[in-house]
Amino acid sequence: MGAEYFNMKFKKVILVLTEDTDQMIITQVVKLCKKFRSKLFVLFVIEVNRASRLARLTHQKTDILDQEIEEGGWKLLYLVEDEAVESDVWTSLHLENGNLMDVLKKYIEAYDINTVLTKRKDETKEIFVSSPVPVIGL
Amino acid sequence: MVLNISEILKPEAIMMEMKAREKLAVIKELVDYMVANKFVKDGKEFVKALCKRENLESTGIGDGIAIPHARTNAVKGLILAFARSPKGVDFSAIDGKPSHLIFLIASPDDKKSEYIVALAKLSRLLRKHNVREQLKRADSPKEILDIIKKNEE
């Protein structure tokens, strides 16, 4: 596979963030996007009932957890953006509520995404199985 | 980190009605206002940093909101300004709608954590439909601050 193939596959990529996405992954993704001059879409999805499920486990209030999850999501999005701007990488940040796979499919279709990037873990397993475009595990 | 938007936003950094109608002119008008109120060290450098970010991505986040932002040593500390545009400004928002509520955030290079937290808190606050509507209707800087304070509690 030549450079042209990779340029095409990385033209528009979407990074699906999870709550534990770390700085190393962010740096890796930004480097990759700089190399291929990709447009980087960044998505954080707050799964339906995420806060109430966590509340049952941690005995914390649902509304406080809701607030923490959303704020945590925005922080991750802006961390990616901050690093991307330093590297002159185009970014577009998105935070949505819903089912991860449904939201992701909507974005892939709406923005003509070529490749999905995400952390390899249980909660992202479905992406690897059901994504209509190639997925790279980080 | 305890950081409240209502504490960062000062009454003198609120413009109830801005004149400019075009994105770059809006940014310049806001920066001039911040320079006049001594929040900014170097207005030219600040505009440059904001424009760099605008060229890489749209800070028009949809629902009539734009949050131009930058990390630059052209500002003295973490600053936030707010302006309203009754007619709306084209910030190339994701939903294609004009922006009526414009929040400008900036911090020096060494205040990255506060800057990210402020952006996150503001973005969360502005996702609330009722907050956006109240901000559009408010009559004074004090009312703007009261709305923010009440809704971030």
Side-chain angles (χ1 to χ4, degrees), chain A residues 47-96:
Chain A
E47 287 271 4
V48 183
N49 299 329
R50 171 80 179 134
S52 51
R53 272 189 282 127
L54 269 179
R56 279 197 295 276
L57 290 170
T58 59
H59 306 291
Q60 282 178 275
K61 284 186 177 168
T62 309
D63 55 344
I64 290 175
L65 285 167
D66 239 340
Q67 183 179 325
E68 281 177 8
I69 293 167
E70 184 176 340
E71 241 172 67
W74 281 116
K75 275 184 213 164
L76 282 170
L77 288 164
Y78 282 115
L79 274 173
V80 177
E81 186 212 61
D82 198 66
E83 189 145 342
V85 169
E86 295 282 312
S87 299
D88 290 324
V89 170
W90 183 97
T91 52
S92 180
L93 310 181
H94 304 270
L95 184 137
E96 297 264 4

Side-chain angles (χ1 to χ4, degrees), chain A residues 78 81-82 90-91 97, chain B residues 53 56-57 69 71 123 127:
Chain A
Y78 282 115
E81 186 212 61
D82 198 66
W90 183 97
T91 52
N97 293 77
Chain B
R53 189 153 298 222
L56 281 172
E57 54 144 342
H69 53 280
R71 206 152 52 84
S123 300
R127 271 187 99 215

Side-chain angles (χ1 to χ4, degrees), chain A residues 12-52:
Chain A
K12 283 184 188 174
V13 303
I14 191 160
L15 169 63
V16 180
L17 295 168
T18 56
E19 283 162 42
D20 58 350
T21 302
D22 53 35
Q23 189 62 49
M24 212 172 73
I25 288 181
I26 293 172
T27 304
Q28 212 178 341
V29 169
V30 170
K31 271 188 187 165
L32 187 95
C33 292
K34 189 175 173 68
K35 183 177 164 74
F36 292 104
R37 294 181 187 167
S38 319
K39 283 193 166 184
L40 173 62
F41 292 80
V42 195
L43 176 65
F44 184 87
V45 178
I46 303 171
E47 287 271 4
V48 183
N49 299 329
R50 171 80 179 134
S52 51

Side-chain angles (χ1 to χ4, degrees), chain B:
Chain B
M1 185 183 302
V2 183
L3 188 149
N4 294 316
I5 297 299
S6 54
E7 284 167 22
I8 309 166
L9 182 62
K10 306 292 176 206
E12 59 271 30
I14 296 174
M15 284 176 83
M16 295 305 288
E17 189 174 335
M18 69 183 332
K19 294 182 190 100
R21 293 288 321 273
E22 183 268 325
K23 184 158 84 169
L24 182 61
V26 164
I27 287 174
K28 281 184 177 161
E29 190 178 338
L30 258 168
V31 169
D32 286 347
Y33 191 72
M34 298 300 276
V35 170
N37 282 289
K38 302 191 179 1
F39 289 105
V40 176
K41 281 193 282 192
D42 185 339
K44 258 188 185 172
E45 200 52 44
F46 189 25
V47 170
K48 207 170 126 188
L50 289 163
C51 289
K52 182 189 174 187
R53 189 153 298 222
E54 286 299 326
N55 290 336
L56 281 172
E57 54 144 342
S58 161
T59 57
I61 59 170
D63 294 319
I65 309 284
I67 312 180
H69 53 280
R71 206 152 52 84
T72 166
N73 288 328
V75 298
K76 289 173 183 168
L78 178 63
I79 59 163
L80 175 60
F82 169 67
R84 258 188 346 198
S85 167
K87 288 181 180 164
V89 181
D90 180 9
F91 259 85
S92 313
I94 307 162
D95 59 6
K97 291 178 188 165
S99 300
H100 297 277
L101 305 175
I102 300 146
F103 284 87
L104 183 149
I105 292 194
S107 83
D109 278 338
D110 63 353
K111 300 263 186 232
K112 183 175 169 176
S113 309
E114 290 96 320
Y115 169 70
I116 298 286
V117 171
L119 277 165
K121 281 187 180 272
L122 184 65
S123 300
R124 191 183 73 79
L125 188 74
L126 295 173
R127 271 187 99 215
K128 296 178 187 169
H129 175 76
N130 66 322
V131 173
R132 297 195 299 267
E133 289 309 309
Q134 287 173 45
L135 289 174
K136 278 181 201 165
R137 288 194 303 264
D139 290 325
S140 66
K142 188 190 174 300
E143 206 179 321
I144 298 278
L145 286 168
D146 287 345
I147 292 163
I148 294 173
K149 193 173 182 182
K150 191 178 146 209
N151 283 282
E152 69 179 348
E153 274 165 2

